[in-house]
Amino acid sequence: MLTLEQATKALPVNGYLKLDVPKDLDLVQEIKKLKTEKNAIILAHYYQSKEIQDLADFLGDSLQLARAAKETDAKMIVFCGVHFMSECAKILNPEKTVVLPDTLAGCSLADSCTGEGLRALREKHPGSQVVSYINCDAGVKAESDLIVTSSNAVAMIESIPKETPIIFAPDRNLGAYLNKVTGRNMILWDGACIVHEAFNFEKIAQQILDHPNAKLIAHPESEANILEMAHFVGSTSALLNFVRDDSATEFIIATEEGILHEMQKRAPGKKLIPALVDDENCSCSECYFMKRNTLEKIYLAMKYELPAIEIDEELRLKALKPIEKMLELSKNIK
Ligand code: 13P
Ligand code: SF4
C-alpha cells in the first residue's frame, strides 16, 4: 500500500491518487459529507457514468459547465469530465481549488493540436481569425481569437464578418459541418474525436431500416456521412431537448452512450437505441477518457484535494480572453 506521499509523487504517472479505500466504505455518503465539509460543488458532463451523473450538483454540456464553473461560489470545484473542461474551469475561476479525479482523462481532440502548431498555421494565413472548439488545451486557447462549443458554434462563426478568413481547430468534423451550415470555407485543423469517428455508416443505415419509425440524431463531432443521414444534429444539450420535445418515440443516438441516462430520464416513455460503431466486439460508444473518473477517485480527490489543476498566470490570462469573448457573445444561448 502506498503512503500519501508516495501516491502524490506518482500522480503524473497514475493520473489519480492510488490509495487504498476500505471496501465497505459508502462512497456516495462519504462524497456527500466531503461536499459539505469542503464547501465543494460537483460538476459533471453527460458522458460521465450514471452514478456520477446522479451525484452531481450540476449536469451539463461544455458551455453550461463553463458557465457553472465561472459562477459558483463554492470553494472547491470537483470536475467530473475531462482535462480541458477542468482547465477551463480553473481559467475562469482561478481562486477556486479545481480537482479532476483523474488527470489522464484527456481527449483525442485536445491531444491533436498544440499552441505552437496553431500559431504556425496562422502565420501561413495572415489576416485570419483563429476559432477553436473548447476541446483544446490552454496553449491552444491562448492562440485563439474566439472559443466555441458545439451548442454555440454556428452563432459564434456567424458573428465574424463573412469576408474574414477563419482557421478552425481542432475538430475537422465539426469544422466541416460548420462550413456547410454557415457557407464558409474555414481552414480546418486535422483533429477528430475517436468516439464519434467510430460510428459506422453501413451499420447505422441498417439500424434505420430495422427501426423505420426511429429518428437518427447525431453530435456534430461525427463524420459527414453520418451527419448527412441524421434527422437532427446538435450538441449534447440540444440532443437531449430534441428527444424530449419531438413527437417521435424512437431514436437512434449517435453520440457517447453516457447521455442515454439523462435522456431516458427526460423522455421516460421513449425508445433510445445507441448507434453502432466499427468495433466488432462491442456495440458501445464509450469515451475511455470520460469513463476514467470513478466514485473512488472522486472521493480521494475531494479528501486530499488532489489532483488539482494549476495553470501559469500569464497563460491563463491569454486563454481567458477568447473564452470570455465566447461567454459574452453567447449570453442568450441556453
Ligand atoms: P457538448 O456537451 O458541449 O456537446 O460536447 C461534447 C463533448 O465532446 C464533450 O467531450
Ligand atoms: Fe474528447 Fe471525444 Fe471523449 Fe469528448 S467524447 S472527451 S471529444 S474523445
Side-chain angles (χ1 to χ4, degrees):
M1 189 184 122
L2 295 180
T3 62
L4 177 59
E5 197 187 343
Q6 288 167 329
T8 307
K9 270 200 191 128
L11 257 180
V13 179
N14 293 330
Y16 68 101
L17 280 179
K18 217 169 174 180
L19 290 170
D20 281 346
V21 173
K23 289 268 169 296
D24 56 351
L25 199 68
D26 184 339
L27 288 169
V28 171
Q29 282 318 312
E30 291 302 316
I31 290 169
K32 285 184 179 163
K33 261 196 244 162
L34 283 168
K35 253 186 1 182
T36 316
E37 271 172 36
K38 305 254 176 178
N39 185 8
I41 184 171
I42 300 181
L43 306 182
H45 188 266
Y46 298 119
Y47 295 167
Q48 292 292 290
S49 64
K50 288 178 197 170
E51 53 283 10
I52 297 180
Q53 292 189 40
D54 290 344
L55 194 59
D57 297 296
F58 184 88
L59 184 63
D61 69 13
S62 309
L63 178 63
Q64 294 162 339
L65 288 167
R67 285 183 183 137
K70 182 182 155 95
E71 285 158 18
T72 185
D73 49 19
K75 250 181 98 193
M76 183 195 281
I77 297 172
V78 183
F79 213 112
C80 299
V82 291
H83 192 273
F84 75 82
M85 295 178 170
S86 58
E87 188 180 60
C88 190
K90 186 72 180 176
I91 293 169
L92 284 162
N93 211 339
E95 303 303 316
K96 310 295 177 192
T97 300
V98 179
V99 294
L100 175 65
D102 187 330
T103 53
L104 299 186
C107 169
S108 65
L109 275 170
D111 289 346
S112 75
C113 189
T114 62
E116 297 78 55
L118 195 55
R119 193 175 334 133
L121 186 60
R122 190 205 281 266
E123 278 161 15
K124 279 196 205 154
H125 301 278
S128 299
Q129 286 281 297
V130 175
V131 178
S132 296
Y133 189 30
I134 197 163
N135 298 36
C136 63
D137 70 17
V140 169
K141 289 188 173 83
E143 293 294 331
S144 306
D145 298 298
L146 182 61
I147 298 300
V148 306
T149 75
S150 54
S151 57
N152 63 21
V154 172
M156 294 302 96
I157 298 297
E158 283 177 344
S159 74
I160 298 171
K162 267 250 177 277
E163 56 289 356
T164 306
I166 300 175
I167 294 169
F168 185 81
D171 189 350
R172 61 166 182 257
N173 291 322
L174 174 62
Y177 172 73
L178 291 169
N179 273 343
K180 196 173 161 204
V181 173
T182 64
R184 302 275 179 146
N185 188 19
M186 301 188 294
I187 297 156
L188 307 181
W189 188 270
D190 194 18
C193 162
I194 44 169
V195 178
H196 290 86
E197 281 230 322
F199 288 118
N200 182 294
F201 179 82
E202 284 78 22
K203 288 185 186 175
I204 297 176
Q206 187 59 49
Q207 283 184 295
I208 294 173
L209 292 175
D210 293 344
H211 302 276
N213 297 323
K215 284 183 178 168
L216 170 68
I217 61 169
H219 193 280
E221 287 171 16
S222 311
E223 287 181 291
N225 57 0
I226 306 286
L227 298 180
E228 274 155 26
M229 193 166 41
H231 191 97
F232 179 75
V233 175
S235 65
T236 50
S237 48
L239 296 177
L240 285 161
N241 291 341
F242 183 80
V243 168
R244 184 195 57 202
D245 300 338
D246 192 74
S247 59
T249 55
E250 275 182 65
F251 300 87
I252 300 166
I253 320 291
T255 193
E256 210 270 0
E257 51 123 68
I259 201 171
L260 297 178
H261 182 56
E262 179 63 16
M263 208 170 250
Q264 199 70 80
K265 281 190 188 174
R266 294 195 195 178
K270 300 198 176 177
K271 184 168 179 182
L272 309 177
I273 306 156
L276 292 174
V277 295
D278 283 327
D279 196 327
E280 287 301 320
N281 305 312
C282 170
S283 60
C284 62
S285 50
E286 268 201 359
C287 175
Y288 151 86
F289 300 111
M290 285 277 181
K291 298 302 195 281
R292 285 192 68 90
N293 297 321
T294 61
L295 290 184
E296 200 172 289
K297 291 178 187 174
I298 294 172
Y299 164 73
L300 289 169
M302 292 178 78
K303 182 165 173 183
Y304 297 105
E305 308 194 7
L306 284 172
I309 304 295
E310 300 297 342
I311 182 164
D312 168 78
E313 183 59 9
E314 200 183 321
L315 177 63
R316 186 187 77 80
L317 290 172
K318 281 190 192 154
L320 178 64
K321 259 175 92 174
I323 305 174
E324 289 215 307
K325 189 169 174 192
M326 167 189 79
L327 293 177
E328 178 59 30
L329 287 171
S330 55
K331 265 197 302 219
N332 299 327
I333 296 173
K334 280 194 188 148

